[in-house]
Amino acid sequence: MPIPSRAALVEHLVRTRIAGNVATPRDNNLAHYRKLANGDRHYWLGLELGDRWTDEQDVLAVMAERCGVDDDPAHRVGQDTIDPELTVEALDRMAGRLRKAAADRDRVLFATGHPGALLDVHSRTAAALRAAGCDIVRIPGGLTADEGYVVQFADVAVFERGATLWHTHSPGPMNAVLDGLRALDQPLPGLVVADHGWAGRAAQRGIDTVGYADCNDPALFIGEAEGTLQVAVPLDDHVLDPRSYEPMTAYLLDAAGLL
């Protein structure tokens, strides 16, 4: 695929609604910010936030700064946004960490709670890092979590239940992988590339972590603000056509020197 320029990628992100006027409505965003502030751990995505984020307005301020949602607390319903410039800036930061992983021949784990959209993004990145000499983690077999199984497709750890790959926010599958590696005396990854609770829990357990997050998933942006997570890339994490992410992936890999 041709490598888009920064300007072309911004235009593509807006046109496909990966950023810009995204599909997630404002009231859904605010509801998630409120639930995080009220201590609902489902919205903490595997991070331990303590009592540091009990004000919904503080959460909104972080999301406006790092994701580009409307910072007006009076805007309660209707359209909300992700700033595509912030998306590309975060991709550039992620590329820097991938470049370091390649230079260090690092051990890298990929995982996604959004297999319907982001599996190919992670898989292509894993293939590029393997070609650069990185050790891509092969997860142990037989892992279970949340009444399902933790399995791996195309180098990406995913959650499976009932012969179907599931969308999950849970940190349980990441716990299963890391605990499984320890049980077999295998080294933990030096870098995790993930999303949702996979990313939050890896970062909480002290592993360098970069990942993707939607505007209604504030925890990873808070983790980045606190320095627990290295990079959170703001985007709509499930647009209708997964191929829409291909130019973004090409830009990322090129910026990381992996193409």
Side-chain angles (χ1 to χ4, degrees):
M1 169 170 289
I3 310 303
S5 67
R6 181 189 182 98
L9 180 59
V10 166
E11 186 278 330
H12 172 80
L13 295 173
V14 172
R15 179 169 49 80
T16 57
R17 300 185 73 184
I18 293 173
N21 289 334
V22 293
T24 309
R26 175 68 168 190
D27 57 307
N28 181 265
N29 283 342
L30 294 182
H32 286 205
Y33 305 168
R34 181 169 58 256
K35 290 173 181 177
L36 180 148
N38 288 341
D40 187 333
R41 285 179 173 267
H42 175 78
Y43 297 92
W44 288 13
L45 299 182
L47 293 165
E48 294 297 331
L49 303 180
D51 59 359
R52 300 185 298 279
W53 297 92
T54 57
D55 188 334
E56 178 185 345
Q57 302 310 314
D58 290 341
V59 179
L60 175 60
V62 169
M63 294 303 292
E65 176 188 13
R66 294 180 178 269
C67 187
V69 302
D70 191 328
D71 64 357
D72 181 2
H75 177 37
R76 308 299 300 179
V77 298
Q79 182 67 58
D80 213 341
T81 57
I82 293 175
D83 185 341
E85 294 289 347
L86 293 178
T87 303
V88 178
E89 289 173 11
L91 288 169
D92 287 339
R93 296 196 302 276
M94 181 183 282
R97 185 59 184 87
L98 297 179
R99 183 185 292 272
K100 181 178 185 302
D104 295 344
R105 303 292 179 91
D106 217 340
R107 181 165 162 82
V108 188
L109 172 64
F110 288 84
T112 185
H114 251 301
L118 298 180
L119 182 62
D120 189 57
V121 175
H122 288 302
S123 179
R124 288 174 185 244
T125 308
L129 282 178
R130 173 179 280 112
C134 288
D135 176 18
I136 305 304
V137 173
R138 183 176 175 86
I139 71 170
L143 298 179
T144 61
D146 301 335
E147 300 181 350
Y149 297 93
V150 185
V151 296
Q152 195 167 29
F153 290 98
D155 291 324
V156 185
V158 292
F159 179 66
E160 185 268 336
R161 186 192 292 171
T164 301
L165 302 187
W166 278 55
H167 170 220
T168 179
H169 289 73
S170 172
M174 180 56 79
N175 279 333
V177 171
L178 299 180
D179 292 344
L181 291 171
R182 284 192 182 279
L184 294 175
D185 291 324
Q186 294 185 16
L188 294 181
L191 174 67
V192 167
V193 184
D195 48 70
H196 282 183
W198 297 91
R201 182 48 52 91
Q204 186 64 46
R205 290 182 61 160
I207 299 171
D208 281 5
T209 303
V210 298
Y212 303 95
D214 209 330
C215 56
N216 63 352
D217 291 329
L220 296 189
F221 297 102
I222 286 174
E224 182 185 36
E226 291 193 328
T228 309
L229 193 85
Q230 292 193 331
V231 181
V233 178
L235 47 66
D236 185 319
D237 57 14
H238 199 117
V239 297
L240 290 178
D241 186 351
R243 291 172 297 185
S244 296
Y245 297 100
E246 290 177 356
M248 180 192 81
T249 307
Y251 177 92
L252 171 68
L253 298 182
D254 181 66
L258 295 174
L259 291 181

